[in-house]
Amino acid sequence: KAGVTQTPRYLIKTRGQQVTLSCSPISGHRSVSWYQQTPGQGLQFLFEYFSETQRNKGNFPGRFSGRQFSNSRSEMNVSTLELGDSALYLCASSLDRGGNSPLHFGNGTRLTVT
Amino acid sequence: QQQVKQSPQSLIVQKGGISIINCAYENTAFDYFPWYQQFPGKGPALLIAIRPDVSEKKEGRFTISFNKSAKQFSLHIMDSQPGDSATYFCAATDSSYKLIFGSGTRLLVRP
């Protein structure tokens, strides 16, 4: 079974631009969660989607948004990029709602904002 | 109250030794405690997980010890191998389904 696929692997953007990251979950998994990983803040929860609905949101500004499609694929969007948005963005999928159901992570998208 | 505190930040162990990583939490509503292993360039991978109704869980060389009254849990890696060199994260969650991660421990196992 294919794992969680995130595209692109690397992105370089300029301050003020916007970016869209994509995540394809493991086949059959209905929940997709997004996490931000930085050396300073570690792994922080962004949001969780289940059945195309955002079920949970972390403490990030409204510039961070996402969506989930009917095939469970998910996208994350960051608008008006800031230097501090440089991070590894990880997508994780699970059979059921994230947290109690084992999360399977992709290898992430490394975003660099200059 | 949402934090999970992890220590040590880094750990060096000789091959064959025991690696021990500790975590502590405040939120008594947490009811699921997984450990993740992350290699450079890869996403975290679930290693082992425990629920508070058991005090210990073992899978191969990896053991979680859980102390509910002290609100602490730890990962023990027996017979540590150079291939175990990675960053380890403890985590916790409650009915909100948000995983709260510890700050990570960078383990180096020397040959």
Side-chain angles (χ1 to χ4, degrees), chain A residues 4-76:
Chain A
V4 177
T5 303
Q6 290 188 246
T7 56
R9 283 299 309 274
Y10 302 94
L11 263 178
I12 300 175
K13 290 287 186 179
T14 304
R15 266 183 307 174
Q17 288 185 315
Q18 74 155 19
V19 67
T20 299
L21 313 182
S22 181
C23 172
S24 293
I26 292 173
S27 177
H29 284 196
R30 299 186 299 164
S31 173
V32 173
S33 301
W34 288 88
Y35 287 80
Q36 182 196 64
Q37 186 173 24
T38 60
Q41 299 298 317
L43 278 154
Q44 292 189 288
F45 173 81
L46 279 156
F47 27 66
E48 179 207 0
Y49 286 86
F50 183 82
S51 294
E52 301 177 63
T53 303
Q54 186 180 94
R55 302 295 179 139
N56 225 329
K57 192 178 192 313
N59 296 324
F60 280 82
R63 300 185 297 106
F64 291 81
S65 63
R67 59 178 175 169
Q68 186 181 34
F69 302 94
S70 58
N71 61 359
S72 293
R73 192 176 71 83
S74 178
E75 287 181 348
M76 189 191 107

Side-chain angles (χ1 to χ4, degrees), chain B residues 6-11 104-107:
Chain B
Q6 184 172 345
S7 63
Q9 191 174 0
S10 61
L11 182 60
T105 296
R106 189 170 292 185
L107 172 65

Side-chain angles (χ1 to χ4, degrees), chain B residues 13-64:
Chain B
V13 172
Q14 288 296 126
K15 179 183 174 182
I18 302 174
S19 303
I20 302 174
I21 304 170
N22 301 300
C23 287
Y25 64 98
E26 293 287 330
N27 188 346
T28 55
F30 287 153
D31 61 0
Y32 178 68
F33 302 87
W35 284 87
Y36 282 83
Q37 178 190 55
Q38 186 176 28
F39 292 104
K42 301 289 187 182
L46 179 64
L47 200 57
I48 186 172
I50 197 168
R51 296 191 185 276
D53 52 345
V54 297
S55 60
E56 186 175 283
K57 183 174 181 180
K58 184 176 180 180
E59 288 184 4
R61 296 184 294 109
F62 300 92
T63 300
I64 300 178

